[in-house]
Amino acid sequence: MTVPAGVDTDRKGVSAIWNDPQTRGIIYQALALILVVLVGWFLFSNTLQNLEERNISTGFGFLDRSAGFSISESLVDYEASDTYGRAFLVGLLNTFQVALLGIFLATILGTIVGILRLSTNWLVAKLASVYVEVLRNIPVLLQLFVWYGVITVSLPSPRQAFEPMPGVFLSNRGFMIPAPVEDPAYSYMGIAFAVAILLSITLRIWARRRQYLTGAQFPVFPCSVGMLIGLPILGWLIGGAPVVFELPVLQGFNFQGGITLSPEFAALLLGLTTYTSAFIAEIVRGGILGVDYGQTEAAASLGLRRVRILRFIILPQALRLIVPPTTSQYLNLTKNSSLAVAIGYPDLVSVGNTTLNQTGQAIEAVTIFMAVYLSFSLSISVFMNWYNSRIALVER
Amino acid sequence: MTLKSFLAAGAFVAASAVAMPAMAGETLDAVRDRGELRCGVNTGLAGFSNPDSEGNWQGLDVDVCKAIAASILGDADAVSYTPLTAQQRFTALQSGEVDVLSRNTTWTLTRDTSLGLHFAPITFYDGQGFMVRKELGVESVHDLDGATVCVQPGTTTELNLADFFRANEMDFEPVVIEDFEEVNAAYFAGRCDAYTTDSSGLASVRSTAPDPTAHMILPEIISKEPLGPAVRQGDDEFFNIVKWVVYALIEAEEYGVNSENLEEMRETSENPGIKRLLGAEPGMGEHLDLEEDWAYNAIEAVGNYGEIFERNVGPDTDLGLERGINGLWTDGGLMYAMPVR
């Protein structure tokens, strides 16, 4: 940096600091931060002041008050006399339930459809394309209404319920299946399953070590599957092989007993799963197409079998392309679950809206929504980034 | 739906932050400057607020809006209607999106005290009832143990429902759907055994059923639901106007003043009460900061309370409701206007 001769030294100092890009950057950023804080503080204090002027009560104290409304389905015990806080918890767990199941099912369905779209069979490929294009291009809210309508309008009332097999009923009140009656054998099965998982992991470590030492391969996968299925069955047999099921019985207005899948939950899960699976199908197809075909040929010429080509050559590269966009689909599915309010599934937003309306605490309720969806999204995002960095190609 | 309530809440936050007019007198000035009253109504409840085939809003709640607009602006059509769901209604009023909420809203202590609202006099005394399909063979609410019940969320109805079943040690499964059309559709599709809302609402829903005769309203009324218009707290001037417009409509019926004999009454009546009401003897309008013909305009536009009732929900309409407790106090009903003097 050159300073023209004859310039006042003081001014030179100031302008020198000002002309330093790094210092200037810091100053700008500090100014921006101060501005953001000031605007935030202004909004916050002004909101509080206005609320007070209009005699609208504020704060989260309402969470301890009795809610007074019922919720149709809940993973934890809930009664109308419980608190608003508990009601929020019920809604939160319902949201989690539908989001996690939806993500799981949409991933499986989407992967299958994505691979089918690449099928060499013309009909299969076309059908998969139609599936993707139709579901992707219709708003998900409409799809939810369609699914809900299909279930509530086209299925008969409980008294005329379909019974496709004994003890299973389909009606406009949902799907009822028999529930196993509580028995110690089921806890044996749970323990056996946990043991099977541990054994599978041990087996895999042992097989790897053996392969390093001797080069001999061991069929880890079939053995693990055998254990994961076989051990629980063994536990069931040891427990006396209970076969007692509680059957749903038509009693009064509806079926009692058994396990019920409500029309609201079914419609929401179906709608979210199929809608998101169409997007995931496209991502999977793109990911697989993104790996150069020469790689497959090269691997084949090394004498690798098809399964191994897929596992060691294609998938590691395809996943690198698939994981990041899939993450955003998971986030979309989670956020779309808030459309539950339209078809009456008591998710977080549905319960929260009711609370908002009963208490008038709009700002507090919306703050809770934002905090929950934000932290849920960030968790998914963090997990998927971790997974992505793990499976991403390590360049050497 | 969800989006709407999010937007409404968001608008509320934004509006709160930007210091909306809530001081005394500002609503009246705003209505005058705008030349239009903003009125929040139900999204579609036959008899109370429902757009007709030409898109004009009709009903008892809508007539209240018209009466207020006629009193302030002299023009009953100077109203813009904002259809609101049960969930959106209070936020819309608090945030200034509407000037007055005329939407079958129950006056409760919590709402009166903690939401920043004031309720004007009751325009319809209602109570919560149940509707079922006749084929179910249910005769009484007490036969509903274990039933699935359709209900709109965020209403006093939802709370009364839970209270009632708890008090009677009966079980029920709620189906809670926000959108009024959707919850009706769910009931008609057989998703629920029973439908619960205010009994006037049930009559309204039944009148829209594919086959109204297939449904019956159970005899029991399980709650008090006084329905009236609401305004923002803190604007006493506007609150007074809404309050006295409603009283004027009731008072007019009591004096036998209706939309037919209105002009004749103003010219010839010697009754001081009628003269005060219709502005033949000045003073009342001034107290409200309105023209002296404020009540005259309101009655001219929509008739007296009795006419409003008969036209929208009375025995000759699809709803077919009797006056019952909504009759004048002189007929043994609850309609009682404070004296306009």
Side-chain angles (χ1 to χ4, degrees):
Chain A
M1 205 179 297
T2 52
V3 180
V7 174
D8 182 312
T9 45
D10 269 3
R11 229 184 110 200
K12 187 180 77 181
V14 171
S15 72
I17 291 172
W18 188 242
N19 286 333
D20 177 20
Q22 207 177 348
T23 322
R24 207 163 49 186
I26 291 170
I27 292 171
Y28 277 139
Q29 293 194 29
L31 281 177
L33 186 67
I34 290 168
L35 201 68
V36 168
V37 169
L38 275 180
V39 169
W41 177 79
F42 171 75
L43 287 175
F44 183 73
S45 63
N46 213 346
T47 303
L48 282 186
Q49 189 193 337
N50 279 300
L51 286 173
E52 198 173 331
E53 266 170 19
R54 285 183 225 170
N55 301 308
I56 299 171
S57 45
T58 48
F60 286 92
F62 71 97
L63 288 176
D64 293 331
R65 294 211 307 267
S66 175
F69 57 87
S70 295
I71 301 177
S72 55
E73 43 197 304
S74 164
L75 293 173
V76 291
D77 287 336
Y78 172 83
E79 278 171 32
S81 50
D82 287 329
T83 61
Y84 282 117
R86 184 115 184 139
F88 263 108
L89 177 71
V90 169
L92 179 71
L93 292 177
N94 281 340
T95 291
F96 278 178
Q97 173 172 259
V98 79
L100 292 178
L101 264 173
I103 285 173
F104 178 70
L105 294 176
T107 308
I108 295 175
L109 191 62
T111 310
I112 293 172
V113 174
I115 291 172
L116 287 185
R117 235 192 137 169
L118 292 172
S119 166
T120 46
N121 181 322
W122 185 85
L123 185 64
V124 169
K126 283 299 164 210
L127 283 177
S129 305
V130 170
Y131 176 91
V132 167
E133 294 308 331
V134 168
L135 289 172
R136 227 162 44 126
N137 291 308
I138 299 176
V140 64
L141 182 61
L142 291 184
Q143 297 190 30
L144 292 182
F145 283 140
V146 169
W147 286 113
Y148 192 55
V150 164
I151 294 172
T152 54
V153 175
S154 63
L155 288 177
S157 68
R159 288 175 200 193
Q160 284 94 40
F162 292 135
E163 193 176 358
M165 51 180 129
V168 175
F169 296 94
L170 291 180
S171 76
N172 60 9
R173 303 295 164 82
F175 311 127
M176 288 79 181
I177 56 167
V181 172
E182 214 169 302
D183 192 287
Y186 296 118
S187 48
Y188 298 159
M189 286 174 76
I191 296 168
F193 189 71
V195 170
I197 291 176
L198 277 178
L199 282 180
S200 302
I201 295 171
T202 323
L203 183 69
R204 191 188 134 102
I205 295 170
W206 171 80
R208 280 222 156 167
R209 193 169 297 158
R210 196 177 76 135
Q211 190 181 353
Y212 272 125
L213 293 175
T214 67
Q217 291 181 0
F218 189 83
V220 176
F221 186 72
C223 283
S224 302
V225 171
M227 279 195 294
L228 287 173
I229 297 173
L231 283 183
I233 292 179
L234 200 66
W236 178 67
L237 288 172
I238 292 170
V243 283
V244 185
F245 279 85
E246 186 193 32
L247 296 179
V249 183
L250 188 61
Q251 190 186 337
F253 293 100
N254 202 349
F255 288 92
Q256 309 294 327
I259 297 171
T260 302
L261 187 64
S262 76
E264 289 77 23
F265 180 74
L268 184 65
L269 185 62
L270 269 169
L272 290 178
T273 302
T274 50
Y275 179 75
T276 312
S277 74
F279 287 89
I280 293 181
E282 281 300 89
I283 293 168
V284 167
R285 184 177 72 108
I288 292 175
L289 285 179
V291 179
D292 193 66
Y293 190 65
Q295 302 250 358
T296 312
E297 291 174 327
S301 67
L302 283 175
L304 283 178
R305 276 179 287 131
R306 281 190 73 93
V307 178
R308 301 203 146 240
I309 295 174
L310 194 65
R311 187 170 155 206
F312 292 117
I313 310 295
I314 309 294
L315 270 188
Q317 297 180 83
L319 276 178
R320 202 165 48 139
L321 302 169
I322 291 171
V323 169
T326 306
T327 308
S328 91
Q329 290 308 322
Y330 289 175
L331 300 184
N332 278 343
L333 187 146
T334 308
K335 286 179 287 184
N336 284 340
S337 73
S338 63
L339 293 170
V341 74
I343 55 167
Y345 176 70
D347 79 323
L348 178 76
V349 173
S350 170
V351 171
N353 271 348
T354 301
T355 304
L356 182 161
N357 207 258
Q358 300 292 5
T359 60
Q361 309 282 340
I363 293 177
E364 290 79 359
V366 172
T367 307
I368 294 178
F369 293 163
M370 295 198 322
V372 167
Y373 283 103
L374 190 67
S375 45
F376 199 41
S377 294
L378 287 178
S379 317
I380 294 177
S381 182
V382 164
F383 173 77
M384 293 300 282
N385 281 338
W386 166 81
Y387 182 65
N388 192 33
S389 65
R390 228 187 74 110
I391 52 130
L393 277 193
V394 183
E395 294 187 28
R396 295 194 173 93
Chain B
M1 267 138 275
T2 324
L3 184 66
K4 262 193 191 168
S5 40
F6 263 128
L7 286 182
F12 177 47
V13 175
S16 312
V18 196
M20 283 289 304
M23 299 295 98
E26 288 185 18
T27 310
L28 180 62
D29 291 344
V31 171
R32 282 198 174 126
D33 288 348
R34 211 188 293 134
E36 190 177 69
L37 177 77
R38 289 181 182 157
C39 201
V41 293
N42 197 306
T43 53
L45 182 66
F48 287 84
S49 61
N50 205 21
D52 66 11
S53 55
E54 280 155 24
N56 298 313
W57 286 90
Q58 304 284 345
L60 192 145
D61 287 341
V62 169
D63 281 350
V64 171
C65 300
K66 287 182 177 170
I68 299 167
S71 291
I72 299 174
L73 302 164
D75 178 6
D77 294 326
V79 187
S80 70
Y81 298 96
T82 306
L84 299 167
T85 68
Q87 306 232 333
Q88 298 159 348
R89 55 187 164 177
F90 299 122
T91 322
L93 182 62
Q94 288 163 339
S95 63
E97 191 184 336
V98 298
D99 301 313
V100 57
L101 185 69
S102 181
R103 184 204 177 280
N104 57 313
T105 299
T106 307
W107 184 346
T108 70
L109 186 147
T110 313
R111 289 173 177 175
D112 205 357
T113 53
S114 72
L115 295 186
L117 308 180
H118 271 322
F119 283 88
I122 301 309
T123 53
F124 194 93
Y125 289 94
D126 213 336
Q128 183 175 348
F130 289 82
M131 177 162 68
V132 293
R133 231 168 261 94
K134 277 183 184 156
E135 61 181 27
L136 273 184
V138 169
E139 296 289 322
S140 151
V141 176
H142 296 277
D143 298 338
L144 287 178
D145 193 7
T148 306
V149 183
C150 275
V151 61
Q152 260 195 298
T155 56
T156 50
T157 312
E158 197 186 3
L159 303 179
N160 295 331
L161 174 67
D163 282 359
F164 178 81
F165 276 78
R166 249 195 297 169
N168 288 282
E169 292 178 348
M170 306 199 302
D171 283 327
F172 75 104
E173 188 200 327
V175 172
V176 179
I177 303 179
E178 182 182 345
D179 190 73
F180 187 60
E181 298 299 324
E182 292 299 323
V183 75
N184 292 352
Y187 170 71
F188 290 134
R191 171 68 185 100
C192 314
D193 300 303
Y195 187 111
T196 187
T197 184
D198 297 347
S199 56
S200 63
L202 292 178
S204 167
V205 172
R206 186 170 65 169
S207 73
T208 64
D211 174 17
T213 57
H215 305 272
M216 63 180 285
I217 295 171
L218 297 177
E220 291 90 348
I221 298 292
I222 67 163
S223 72
K224 293 181 288 186
E225 306 289 333
L227 311 179
V231 296
R232 273 184 300 279
Q233 203 168 312
D235 188 342
D236 293 349
E237 185 184 43
F238 189 68
F239 176 44
N240 283 339
I241 290 173
V242 173
K243 188 159 60 181
W244 285 97
V245 167
V246 175
Y247 283 146
L249 297 174
I250 300 169
E251 184 103 325
E253 188 185 7
E254 215 181 308
Y255 283 128
V257 174
N258 60 39
S259 52
E260 306 276 306
N261 64 16
L262 184 69
E263 198 175 346
E264 187 194 331
M265 285 281 203
R266 180 163 68 175
E267 307 305 326
T268 63
S269 178
E270 290 303 317
N271 184 330
I274 294 178
K275 290 172 88 170
R276 272 196 300 273
L277 180 69
L278 298 181
E281 195 171 280
M284 297 304 130
E286 197 187 321
H287 292 316
L288 291 171
D289 198 14
L290 296 176
E291 301 297 327
E292 291 300 345
D293 56 1
W294 63 281
Y296 183 94
N297 288 338
I299 300 162
E300 186 184 34
V302 295
N304 64 36
Y305 180 76
E307 290 179 273
I308 296 173
F309 189 97
E310 298 298 325
R311 182 171 60 240
N312 294 305
V313 299
D316 295 336
T317 63
D318 287 343
L319 270 68
L321 300 176
E322 298 296 329
R323 276 301 282 274
I325 53 171
N326 285 299
L328 290 178
W329 64 287
T330 47
D331 301 332
L334 293 171
M335 282 299 162
Y336 184 103
M338 304 308 136
V340 178
R341 71 181 306 139

